[in-house]
Amino acid sequence: MKNKKKYTKNQHVIPRGYLKNFLNSHKKLNCFSLKRINHSERKTEKICSHNYAYEASPKFVDNILENHLAKLESKYLPYIDKIVKNYNNGKRV
């Protein structure tokens, strides 16, 4: 039996590692829907993402771009975290 590859279906157009810096005291994002004209709190898993956002078609999923972006994010997000930490501690950025 062949091992099936696992693909990322819910692909974020804004990385969750970036979004986490905007969480409220309930660990959720405050969101406003222009379509529904209302406010809600949402988890980062459910915001700024679409199923197969970086795929040519849901029928031909390869995650090449998703995986490439994940590698880039793993390199720059620690710097974003450091900037936010320094700012929150009153240090000049």
Side-chain angles (χ1 to χ4, degrees), residues 1-2 10 13 15-16 18 20 31 38 40 48 51 58-63 66 70-71 73-74 76-77 80 83:
M1 188 186 298
K2 288 185 179 181
N10 186 35
V13 294
R16 287 172 48 194
Y18 181 74
K20 72 179 183 182
C31 301
N38 72 349
S40 64
C48 300
N51 288 345
K59 294 179 182 180
F60 303 103
V61 176
D62 59 14
N63 270 183
E66 171 72 11
K71 286 179 188 176
E73 291 164 15
S74 70
Y76 80 78
L77 284 174
I80 299 285
I83 291 168

Side-chain angles (χ1 to χ4, degrees), residues 1-73:
M1 188 186 298
K2 288 185 179 181
N3 288 340
K4 280 191 172 184
K5 282 188 176 183
K6 291 194 177 195
Y7 294 107
T8 303
K9 180 178 179 179
N10 186 35
Q11 299 174 351
H12 285 77
V13 294
I14 299 177
R16 287 172 48 194
Y18 181 74
L19 292 173
K20 72 179 183 182
N21 295 301
F22 299 95
L23 298 178
N24 64 21
S25 60
H26 300 116
K27 304 284 187 205
K28 293 183 178 181
L29 290 165
N30 292 311
C31 301
F32 184 81
S33 171
L34 292 173
K35 192 175 188 177
R36 295 186 189 100
I37 313 297
N38 72 349
H39 169 272
S40 64
E41 291 183 339
R42 309 273 310 265
K43 293 182 178 182
T44 58
E45 293 85 6
K46 303 291 182 182
I47 190 83
C48 300
S49 66
H50 305 283
N51 288 345
Y52 305 114
Y54 300 116
E55 307 303 327
S57 162
K59 294 179 182 180
F60 303 103
V61 176
D62 59 14
N63 270 183
I64 290 173
L65 185 54
E66 171 72 11
N67 293 336
H68 181 69
L69 291 172
K71 286 179 188 176
L72 290 174
E73 291 164 15

Side-chain angles (χ1 to χ4, degrees), residues 71-89:
K71 286 179 188 176
L72 290 174
E73 291 164 15
S74 70
K75 292 180 181 182
Y76 80 78
L77 284 174
Y79 294 103
I80 299 285
D81 291 341
K82 186 175 180 178
I83 291 168
V84 170
K85 182 180 175 183
N86 286 339
Y87 178 81
N88 289 337
N89 290 331

